[in-house]
Amino acid sequence: MTPRHALRAGALLSLLTAFNSHAADPCSPVWSSTSTYTEGQQASLQGSNYRAKWWTRGEEPGTTGQWGVWQLLGACTSGNQPSPTPQPSPLPTVRPSSTPTATPSATPTTAPSATATPQAGNGCLAAWSASVAYTGGQRASRLGRNYEAKWWTQGFDPSQAGPYDPWKDLGACGATTVTPTATATPKPSATPTAAPTAAPTATATPKPSATPTATATPKPSATPTATPTPVGSSLVPPRALTLEQPGDIGTLRAAQQRSFNHTPFQSTGYWVQTGDVLVVNYHYTGGAPNKGPEIWIHSIDDDTWGYSTAQKVKLNVGSTTITASKTGAVYVAAFNTPTDGELKVELVSGGRVMPRFVLGKHTAADWAQMLANYSDAPYGELVSQRMMLTATLPKVKQHVDDPVVLMTLWDEVVRLTDEQYGIKPGNAWPHNPTPHRFHYVELPPYDGWMYSWQYRMASASADGALRPVLNSKTLRTDGWGPWHELGHQYQMSTFTWADQTEVTVNLTSAYVQRALGNASRYETQGTWTKTFAYLAQPTRDFATQSDLFVRATMFWQLDLTFGQDFYAKLGTNYRNMPAALRPSTDAAEKQTFIIETSRVAGYDLTPFFEQWGIAVDAATRTTLGGMALKPLTQPIWQNRDSRVLYRL
């Protein structure tokens, strides 16, 4: 198991206890399902104050769980503010004791869905209603424009929708055409049952689609082909930048049921020392962004959830002068919804050049020259389309072999992980790749090994930990650790029940390991021998099996048996599942996993899970019995990497 960074659980308990011990505070503005809340903003609901830990909209406070988006601040006095506008709160976010598995949950609703038939020409459809549930393809009008729902939604104002939100703008409509009347229809697929009690009974999960839309991508070559790079490119980073506009950092993460936001950083290639003065110009073309860009001065030894020690300066249109309060790399962070124009930032003066390799722009010879020219910089950085690596300059010099091969390989590793979960370019949202990069950093003060968290993956400075991150040969042949941490960034909370965080993550390592032509770790390190010894016991209890890798082989056997696109189909089904119907307790997650894996396989997998020591409850058996599945007659739990006896 890759060691993980952890905060003592007592620290979290102590902070919550201390916070909730004082007198009740006044209630913050009442939570609104149609308002957007960002990190630090507060809202109240039913006599309690809550604080948003990251971007959210429509997730009701009190329903998202300990590691969900809303942090309970405690009871508040009566007299809630009438305004739904969220207010900021200074309460810091506490790092969890292990990788949290955020499981957003929404209160089931019985509101009818709308059936609106578009009129000929540009007539306005039935007016949108906040109390009506709309499914994908249904339409409504709002403020003189027609909209079409891209997936199930309720309470989300179409006029506020951006490119990653549930409504598609169909254009302006006339007001004279007769508008159709909304017809009440049941909520999609099934009416959710009441919230489970302390001992919940799993309910049947509605089938998102008759046939999962994700399909397997052809297996890549074992060794990715390096991307050609031009010769003679500039070694000095440009000071004038046209910013990427990847969109709000939390929207796609939440829709893909992941736990952590990607990095907001766009690399400049410059760094500053404490006291240095930066003069920065900012302007935009086209429509004004809903959020302006920010300059972040960041030291890679920051070990906080939201990089709280970084110096963060919001840019106003025109010139901004910044005196550096710390030594660190200079990044631009853009959180805005994409606009129809451009955001332009220029570092007019100040800033020191650091070695920064950009795949597709620089050669290996350029990189060598940068290391020689800018040897006084604290860091070196390498940037590709999907990944950014930042480490101290001595470690970069020691471990980076060929930057072109390294960053090309990292892009391939990310692509493979997308593929495993059914995420492909051209797929409908949210089954498409994130436009944000992943960021892997060296964390000099870290005394563990590696971890995955908000905004980054991090490695200790120890050579054994950092080498596979920075060295292309080691990453390709012995990169289980970095692949594992990338897996945490993709891990789906809805099928990671209690004590499985360090288990299901290994699906990514095993998938990448195989795709790159390496022998299975489960074979070379004797895991299968332990697995079959466990399965041969007269009684088995999966929950008490202490070997994480033995548990991981259960999940891996589903890939070996039903094909390399098994988890692509499964991931697609989970992402298509309405938020209100996603499992939100350990018991429900376990039973839903049995149902959904059986749905994807086309077989009733009850014998498989019982062999592994996972009980299938009565409600799940009833659900499976009504799905017209084939009976499982082959002992697929005998499959292993080197000998797949049963392929179904």
Side-chain angles (χ1 to χ4, degrees):
M1 180 183 76
T2 304
R4 307 264 305 153
H5 185 75
L7 178 74
R8 291 181 179 88
L12 175 61
L13 179 61
S14 298
L15 180 61
L16 294 178
T17 302
F19 183 82
N20 290 320
S21 63
H22 58 65
D25 292 327
C27 287
S28 298
V30 178
W31 172 80
S32 168
S33 64
T34 60
S35 293
T36 297
Y37 299 82
T38 56
E39 180 180 350
Q41 292 182 315
Q42 288 187 17
S44 65
L45 188 66
Q46 298 177 350
S48 294
N49 279 331
Y50 296 86
R51 176 181 181 275
K53 292 186 281 186
W54 54 80
W55 185 99
T56 182
R57 177 161 49 199
E59 296 181 83
E60 183 179 319
T63 67
T64 61
Q66 182 180 9
W67 303 122
V69 63
W70 287 106
Q71 179 178 7
L72 175 64
L73 303 183
C76 60
T77 59
S78 60
N80 291 346
Q81 301 298 318
S83 170
T85 305
Q87 300 296 321
S89 166
L91 185 69
T93 302
V94 181
R95 184 170 187 170
S97 59
S98 62
T99 308
T101 53
T103 53
S105 172
T107 302
T109 176
T110 56
S113 64
T115 302
T117 304
Q119 298 290 310
N122 65 342
C124 287
L125 302 169
W128 169 81
S129 170
S131 64
V132 172
Y134 299 82
T135 57
Q138 292 183 319
R139 299 181 176 186
S141 66
R142 174 73 169 157
L143 302 177
R145 302 184 74 83
N146 282 331
Y147 296 88
E148 181 177 277
K150 293 186 279 187
W151 55 85
W152 188 94
T153 180
Q154 182 179 20
F156 190 106
D157 188 339
S159 66
Q160 302 299 312
Y164 306 116
D165 292 323
W167 288 102
K168 176 183 179 181
D169 189 346
L170 300 180
C173 61
T176 57
T177 305
V178 177
T179 58
T181 302
T183 303
T185 57
K187 191 174 179 178
S189 301
T191 301
T193 59
T197 60
T201 300
T203 57
T205 303
K207 185 175 181 180
S209 58
T211 303
T213 57
T215 56
T217 301
K219 184 175 179 179
S221 58
T223 304
T225 303
T227 302
T229 56
V231 179
S233 53
S234 174
L235 306 185
V236 179
R239 286 185 169 271
L241 309 173
T242 299
L243 300 185
E244 298 169 357
Q245 298 186 61
D248 183 272
I249 203 167
T251 304
L252 189 58
R253 174 204 55 76
Q256 292 183 343
Q257 302 167 43
R258 307 183 186 193
S259 297
F260 309 121
N261 285 331
H262 295 68
T263 181
F265 291 162
Q266 296 184 36
S267 173
T268 69
Y270 289 88
W271 67 284
V272 291
Q273 287 184 342
T274 303
D276 285 357
V277 176
L278 279 173
V279 177
V280 183
N281 278 350
Y282 159 59
H283 69 277
Y284 61 84
T285 63
N290 62 328
K291 298 178 184 177
E294 303 175 10
I295 294 291
W296 288 29
I297 299 174
H298 169 69
S299 172
I300 64 173
D301 61 2
D302 188 335
D303 196 24
T304 59
W305 167 259
Y307 286 154
S308 61
T309 71
Q311 182 180 359
K312 305 172 185 179
V313 180
K314 295 182 178 180
L315 296 178
N316 298 315
V317 173
S319 180
T320 301
T321 299
I322 304 169
T323 300
S325 62
K326 63 184 302 157
T327 296
V330 178
Y331 295 101
V332 184
F335 298 94
N336 63 288
T337 300
T339 70
D340 59 356
E342 294 182 332
L343 310 185
K344 295 183 177 290
V345 170
E346 181 182 6
L347 304 181
V348 177
S349 63
R352 307 159 187 254
V353 178
M354 69 180 188
R356 185 191 63 157
F357 172 88
V358 179
L359 184 64
K361 179 178 179 181
H362 298 122
T363 66
D366 291 335
W367 174 245
Q369 191 61 53
M370 292 177 196
L371 295 176
N373 290 358
Y374 311 122
S375 59
D376 62 336
Y379 316 130
E381 194 156 82
L382 302 99
V383 183
S384 65
Q385 181 183 3
R386 307 298 306 278
M387 181 64 69
M388 183 163 65
L389 310 177
T390 311
T392 57
L393 200 60
K395 293 297 183 181
V396 161
K397 290 180 176 179
Q398 178 183 353
H399 294 302
V400 175
D401 48 356
D402 186 325
V404 177
V405 175
L406 174 66
M407 299 313 293
T408 302
L409 179 57
W410 262 119
D411 277 359
E412 176 67 357
V413 169
V414 174
R415 188 198 68 78
L416 287 168
T417 311
D418 278 342
E419 175 186 272
Q420 180 179 37
Y421 282 95
I423 298 169
K424 292 173 58 179
N427 277 2
W429 193 95
H431 312 293
N432 55 305
T434 175
H436 296 86
R437 288 182 180 85
F438 294 96
H439 192 191
Y440 219 124
V441 299
E442 176 193 356
L443 188 62
Y446 183 45
D447 58 2
W449 198 250
M450 297 179 180
Y451 71 76
S452 193
W453 214 27
Q454 177 83 330
Y455 294 162
R456 79 282 200 179
M457 296 163 282
S459 168
S461 297
D463 291 338
L466 195 56
R467 185 182 300 109
V469 178
L470 298 177
N471 183 275
S472 66
K473 295 182 179 64
T474 310
L475 175 64
R476 192 184 73 81
T477 60
D478 192 22
W480 187 279
W483 307 332
H484 173 107
E485 301 308 332
L486 181 63
H488 278 302
Q489 295 284 327
Y490 281 83
Q491 198 166 27
M492 299 188 75
S493 57
T494 38
F495 64 77
T496 304
W497 61 86
D499 298 326
Q500 305 311 309
T501 299
E502 290 299 332
V503 175
T504 62
V505 64
N506 292 300
L507 284 166
T508 294
S509 292
Y511 191 92
V512 173
Q513 185 175 60
R514 177 179 62 193
L516 295 182
N518 299 304
S520 167
R521 171 182 183 147
Y522 302 140
E523 294 286 358
T524 61
Q525 298 194 10
T527 302
W528 285 117
T529 300
K530 298 175 184 177
T531 292
F532 296 133
Y534 164 75
L535 292 171
Q537 295 178 107
T539 59
R540 298 158 301 282
D541 183 353
F542 188 81
T544 62
Q545 169 53 245
S546 61
D547 192 315
L548 302 178
F549 290 117
V550 168
R551 277 190 263 158
T553 57
M554 181 197 76
F555 293 92
W556 189 236
Q557 281 182 330
L558 294 173
D559 172 291
L560 296 177
T561 302
F562 298 106
Q564 296 180 21
D565 61 346
F566 180 84
Y567 283 99
K569 295 174 181 178
L570 185 69
T572 300
N573 276 5
Y574 270 96
R575 289 189 295 273
N576 282 337
M577 197 180 295
L581 302 180
R582 295 173 191 159
S584 58
T585 67
D586 288 336
E589 287 176 4
K590 193 180 303 181
Q591 297 303 313
T592 301
F593 186 74
I594 295 170
I595 293 168
E596 292 305 314
T597 53
S598 294
R599 190 192 310 279
V600 171
Y603 288 82
D604 181 343
L605 296 180
T606 296
F608 174 76
F609 289 107
E610 288 182 332
Q611 183 66 29
W612 270 97
I614 296 178
V616 181
D617 67 23
T620 297
R621 292 177 187 274
T622 299
T623 299
L624 293 172
M627 291 170 62
L629 300 169
K630 290 176 282 189
L632 182 66
T633 58
Q634 297 91 340
I636 64 173
W637 49 88
Q638 295 178 8
N639 284 341
R640 61 188 293 171
D641 290 273
S642 63
R643 190 178 60 178
V644 180
L645 299 173
Y646 307 98
R647 295 186 188 273
L648 302 178

